[in-house]
């Protein structure tokens, strides 16, 4: 059952914010949907956006400048929250890069996170089923993209489910989380100390074993303050070479990790997805 938090007209379509009880998470979850005007007369492809650390279901819709493009291209946009909230788990709110706002789009295996921090199952299974049952969404045309932690999530979800997603792109993804502080912190808590179990959630390692059947677009700013310590796009590039993955990894001078960077290249990503999804 959906609860409408708000709905407003935007570019002749509707931007809406919703909540619902999630069976995957075992708690309430929030998400946003932009329905372009074409959705009033036809079922449309759906493009899922996964946000980064500390973000919510509002961040992308407000900051990215994507809604006008979605209206022009005839794409439904969906953005889930980045984690469950308010569960009262020990340590859940102690740091900005773990717990609340930092679900890392995996299914946790360690206590006390195992029951509720199941963002992978939520994003890849429950949320699409909910969208397709309640909105004018096609069930055969889905794309996925994201930023930073969400870029990691988009790549992992598409690599694990290539038949479910006809397109995938990323902005400044955490490409090799097993090898960087953000990923090591999240994986050790969510998955436990056995690093062998972490590999199932690392895009660079997954890509070496099972490349995505289409080309992947990744944009990375060279003035990104997290580039050297956290993002490691070179690992993704090496994985693509090893597996034969078609990868367009574009590096951009002077751009950082912010939504100013995303705004600058969002049109490229939206058109990329439209070419794969709209037919």
């Amino acid at each position: 059952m959906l609860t409408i938090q708000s709905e407003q007209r935007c570019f002749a379509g509707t931007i809406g914010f919703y909540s619902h009880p999630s069976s995957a998470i075992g708690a309430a979850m929030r998400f946003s949907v932009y329905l372009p005007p074409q959705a009033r007369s036809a079922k449309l492809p759906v493009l899922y956006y996964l946000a980064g650390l500390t973000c919510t279901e509002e961040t992308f819709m407000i900051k990215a400048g994507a809604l006008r493009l979605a209206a022009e291209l005839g794409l439904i946009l969906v953005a889930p929250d980045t984690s469950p909230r308010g569960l009262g788990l020990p340590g859940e709110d102690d740091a900005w890069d773990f717990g609340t706002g930092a679900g890392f789009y995996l299914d946790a295996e360690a206590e006390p996170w195992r029951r509720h921090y199941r963002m992978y199952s939520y994003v890849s299974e429950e949320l699409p089923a909910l969208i397709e049952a309640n909105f004018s969404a096609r069930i055969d045309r889905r794309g996925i993209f994201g930023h930073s932690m969400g870029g990691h999530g988009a790549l992992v979800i598409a690599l694990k489910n290539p038949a479910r997603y006809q397109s995938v792109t990323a902005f400044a993804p955490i490409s090799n989380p097993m090898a960087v502080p953000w990923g090591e912190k999240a994986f050790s808590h969510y998955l436990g100390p056995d690093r062998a179990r972490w590999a199932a959630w690392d895009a660079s390692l997954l890509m070496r074993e099972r490349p995505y059947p289409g080309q992947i677009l990744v944009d990375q700013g060279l003035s990104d303050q997290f580039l050297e310590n956290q993002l490691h796009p070179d690992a993704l590039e090496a994985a693509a070479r090893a597996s034969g993955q078609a990868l367009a990894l574009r590096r951009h001078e002077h751009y950082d990790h912010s939504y100013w960077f995303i705004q600058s290249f969002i049109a490229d990503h939206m058109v990329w997805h439209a070419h794969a999804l709209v037919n």
Side-chain angles (χ1 to χ4, degrees):
M1 182 177 67
L2 294 183
T3 298
I4 300 171
Q5 303 297 329
S6 67
E7 290 181 333
Q8 289 87 28
R9 184 69 76 200
C10 185
F11 294 110
T14 302
I15 177 66
F17 297 89
Y18 309 92
S19 63
H20 73 110
S22 166
S23 58
I25 301 296
M29 284 296 294
R30 306 190 311 237
F31 64 91
S32 59
V33 178
Y34 177 68
L35 292 172
Q38 299 93 321
R40 289 195 286 272
S41 59
K43 290 185 179 294
L44 302 178
V46 184
L47 181 53
Y48 292 86
Y49 177 84
L50 307 183
L53 293 164
T54 75
C55 293
T56 72
E57 75 283 2
E58 296 182 337
T59 310
F60 172 77
M61 297 298 192
I62 294 171
K63 290 186 173 184
L67 303 194
R68 176 181 60 79
L69 297 163
E72 293 173 358
L73 295 168
L75 292 172
I76 295 173
L77 287 175
V78 176
D81 200 354
T82 50
S83 77
R85 295 179 185 268
L87 299 177
L89 298 178
E92 184 179 42
D93 297 315
D94 289 352
W96 67 272
D97 57 356
F98 176 77
T100 299
F104 267 81
Y105 304 103
L106 51 73
D107 282 350
E109 299 176 6
E111 298 293 352
W113 316 101
R114 182 175 59 85
R115 173 65 187 90
H116 298 294
Y117 274 70
R118 295 176 48 80
M119 290 298 294
Y120 169 77
S121 289
Y122 178 71
V123 169
S124 64
E125 298 174 13
E126 185 177 10
L127 184 59
L130 190 70
I131 296 300
E132 290 158 13
N134 289 278
F135 299 92
S136 294
R138 290 180 60 171
I139 64 173
D140 62 339
R141 284 291 182 270
R142 305 180 196 93
I144 191 165
F145 66 154
H147 172 231
S148 193
M149 176 184 73
H152 140 76
L155 292 171
V156 167
I157 288 171
L159 287 163
K160 284 177 173 287
N161 303 275
R164 289 181 61 82
Y165 298 93
Q166 286 69 54
S167 57
V168 56
T169 69
F171 295 94
I174 306 172
S175 297
N176 188 196
M178 287 184 64
V180 302
W182 278 342
E184 289 181 332
K185 181 177 184 177
F187 287 9
S188 63
H189 284 83
Y190 291 141
L191 302 173
D194 182 2
R195 294 180 68 93
R197 303 187 72 83
W198 300 5
W201 305 102
D202 187 302
S204 293
L205 298 184
L206 287 172
M207 187 179 286
R208 287 177 178 271
E209 297 178 0
R210 51 176 108 171
Y212 179 76
Q215 188 176 33
I216 297 173
L217 171 64
V218 174
D219 279 312
Q220 175 63 60
L222 293 181
S223 293
D224 191 317
Q225 59 270 44
F226 303 112
L227 175 57
E228 296 300 326
N229 290 333
Q230 304 285 8
L231 303 181
H232 287 203
D234 291 350
L236 199 66
E237 206 166 39
R241 285 196 300 269
S243 67
Q245 172 70 62
L247 175 68
L249 175 54
R250 309 190 305 183
R251 294 172 171 87
H252 304 278
E253 294 281 355
H254 310 302
Y255 286 93
D256 65 8
H257 200 68
S258 70
Y259 267 81
W260 304 119
F261 165 60
I262 295 174
Q263 283 188 32
S264 300
F265 299 101
I266 188 66
D268 291 354
H269 285 246
M270 297 289 287
V271 170
W272 181 284
H273 288 283
H275 283 164
L277 300 175
V278 178
N279 57 48

